[in-house]
Amino acid sequence: MQTKAAVVRAAEQDFEITTLELDAPRSNEVQVKMIASGVCHTDAIARDQIYQTYLPAVFGHEGAGIVEAVGSDVTSVAPGDRVVLGFNSCGKCSKCLAGAPAYCENFYAKNFSGLRDDETTAFSEGGQKVGSHFFGQSSFAQYTNVSDRSVVKVDGDVPLELLGPLGCGLSTGAGAIINSLGVKAGDTVAVFGTGAVGCAGIMAAAAIGATTIIAVDLHDSRLELAKELGATHTINSRNENPVEKIREITGDGVNYALDSTGVVAVTRQAADSLAINGTVGLVGAPAPGTEVSFEVGASLTRGWKFQTIIEGDAIPQDFIPRLVHLWRQGKFPIEKLVRTYPIEKINDAFADSASGEVIKPIVTFE
């Protein structure tokens, strides 16, 4: 069948809207008619080949849509089901079998290669391969074939045009707080960077009852939104030293600090803002080879921990419905973060995301 899709043909080029051929879903695949897809920083770094993937390709990994058809081995969903799409995993390695699919031993191949295991692609153009299965889904296409491990069924009354970002960015931020760091009611938390991931972390911390939630960013407009989402304090790090200010607010430092920026200097600030036995979590995606240094001598007696976090340590089929439940309760107001764009305006969506004008762009299909 034919499908409209946004294709990247070479590194650092804009997306091109074109028509591709889509093959039939394999036995372990689900064909989905996309309603909408979130725009994520990971799509941008793949577009620019900071993380290498097959080109030309269809990216997109925060999709939401309706099941059109299923492969012969698929039992989790049926045609007509409404779904949100998460990351992919093999389901067979020791990490997947231990309930940690975000650390799948085949994570890169399953999510970034742009190819099936047999090196075929779901998309083609003029008989030539076009990369597919980005994060198991390649959701910047009106129709796409999705790995069954990426598919999460949701209730029929939820707004699919809103929920796609739960597939990656928002579940990463919320999962970092709830799953990875294990923040509890009464804890103190600092979130560095109030983009989509950081805002999700703030909402999650507020939802579970953290008593001090400190948002750190360079933009006053984002800090104002952070207050609406549950931050009890805000710090503009352009004007104030965040480490000193956090210690002033808390007395010793925070129990948990989450760095959603991936900027080396910010990661160091997050670590320096910790209380005794505190933990810093890193969910930003710096370029491969990036290094960060920490002062060891004086901090040795403080017993602090450093943790890298992938996909919020989430199991999509479990965690995404939990976030939908929080949204229903008004505790996870995704609608305050998003702006929608028709798929034809996808390059504008990426530009507005990069400039900081929009926290979470979502592209929509007819």
Side-chain angles (χ1 to χ4, degrees), residues 174 221 312 320:
S221 60
I320 290 175

Side-chain angles (χ1 to χ4, degrees), residues 125-188:
E125 184 179 38
Q128 300 299 310
K129 295 194 296 188
V130 175
S132 63
H133 285 75
F134 186 68
F135 278 69
Q137 53 182 284
S138 288
S139 56
F140 291 156
Q142 190 158 21
Y143 291 88
T144 185
N145 294 337
V146 180
S147 165
D148 61 342
R149 290 186 61 80
S150 295
V151 175
V152 181
K153 184 178 177 180
V154 294
D155 292 338
D157 62 338
V158 297
L160 290 177
E161 69 278 4
L162 185 64
L163 298 185
L166 295 180
C168 183
L170 300 190
S171 62
T172 293
I177 292 293
I178 296 171
N179 302 326
S180 311
L181 299 179
V183 174
K184 303 178 295 298
D187 282 336
T188 57

Side-chain angles (χ1 to χ4, degrees), residues 193-206:
T194 56
V197 174
C199 284
I202 290 167
M203 292 189 291

Side-chain angles (χ1 to χ4, degrees), residues 341-353:
Y341 301 73
I343 187 63
E344 290 80 7
K345 298 291 186 181
I346 188 171
N347 292 308
D348 293 340
F350 273 85
D352 290 347
S353 177

Side-chain angles (χ1 to χ4, degrees), residues 183-242:
V183 174
K184 303 178 295 298
D187 282 336
T188 57
V189 180
V191 177
F192 289 75
T194 56
V197 174
C199 284
I202 290 167
M203 292 189 291
I208 62 179
T211 51
T212 301
I213 305 169
I214 305 168
V216 183
D217 203 288
L218 297 170
H219 304 285
D220 287 333
S221 60
R222 290 195 171 197
L223 292 172
E224 285 300 316
L225 176 60
K227 289 181 181 179
E228 292 183 35
L229 301 177
T232 59
H233 301 77
T234 61
I235 300 170
N236 187 319
S237 55
R238 194 188 304 276
N239 306 322
E240 297 182 282
N241 183 310

Side-chain angles (χ1 to χ4, degrees), residues 240-304:
E240 297 182 282
N241 183 310
V243 176
E244 293 177 358
K245 189 65 176 179
I246 287 170
R247 294 194 180 278
E248 178 185 322
I249 294 168
T250 61
D252 179 43
V254 289
N255 303 126
Y256 301 98
L258 179 65
D259 175 19
S260 67
T261 72
V263 176
V264 168
V266 176
T267 305
R268 175 61 189 268
Q269 289 175 337
D272 290 344
S273 71
L274 295 174
I276 292 173
N277 291 137
T279 302
V280 59
L282 174 64
V283 296
T290 301
E291 297 183 359
V292 60
S293 62
F294 301 106
E295 196 278 330
V296 176
S299 70
L300 189 63
T301 59
R302 297 184 66 81
W304 67 279

